[in-house]
Amino acid sequence: MDVFAYLVAAWVFLAGCYGLATSRNLIHAVGCLSVCQSATYVLLLAVGYRDGATAPVFSDLKPGARPVVDPVVQALALTDVVVGATVTALLLALVVQVSKRHGTVDPDELSELRG
């Protein structure tokens, strides 16, 4: 059961990468990047999970009496969510500007962006 969460994270990441590679729409590409980033949430939570552990709140327990989950990994996952939402919003704003300027969201039709 320990490997299952890592396999799910790998599958979600590969599904996002496949969608990104086959995308013919910039909005779809941004969505696929968000799916790739959601694999990092699963990976971080799988790293911090401990079987039979409780929340890291020591109100009535002596420290070291029971196993607890790692709160640093949970904080990193929450930070990852905030950064992911910000990056997605920025990329969608850029797609809107590209659509206004060039009239398309198909990356093949954006000839001015080629070097």
Side-chain angles (χ1 to χ4, degrees):
M1 190 65 179
D2 293 334
V3 179
F4 182 69
Y6 298 108
L7 292 176
V8 169
W11 184 82
V12 170
F13 182 76
L14 290 176
C17 286
Y18 175 76
L20 186 61
T22 60
S23 176
R24 294 292 107 211
N25 189 332
L26 291 176
I27 297 173
H28 184 259
V30 171
C32 290
L33 281 174
S34 295
V35 169
C36 285
Q37 186 161 9
S38 67
T40 62
Y41 311 152
V42 177
L43 182 65
L44 282 171
L45 293 177
V47 166
Y49 177 75
R50 291 179 67 185
D51 195 26
T54 61
V57 179
F58 298 106
S59 62
D60 59 343
L61 298 174
K62 294 179 185 177
R66 292 178 104 170
V68 294
V69 294
D70 190 6
V72 174
V73 177
Q74 294 175 4
L76 285 173
L78 286 173
T79 304
D80 195 13
V81 169
V82 171
V83 170
T86 305
V87 168
T88 301
L90 178 68
L91 288 175
L92 287 174
L94 289 173
V95 168
V96 167
Q97 293 302 316
V98 166
S99 176
K100 283 181 182 178
R101 179 169 292 192
H102 299 284
T104 184
V105 291
D106 188 4
D108 290 336
E109 294 180 12
L110 299 172
S111 61
E112 293 179 10
L113 299 179
R114 295 184 189 191

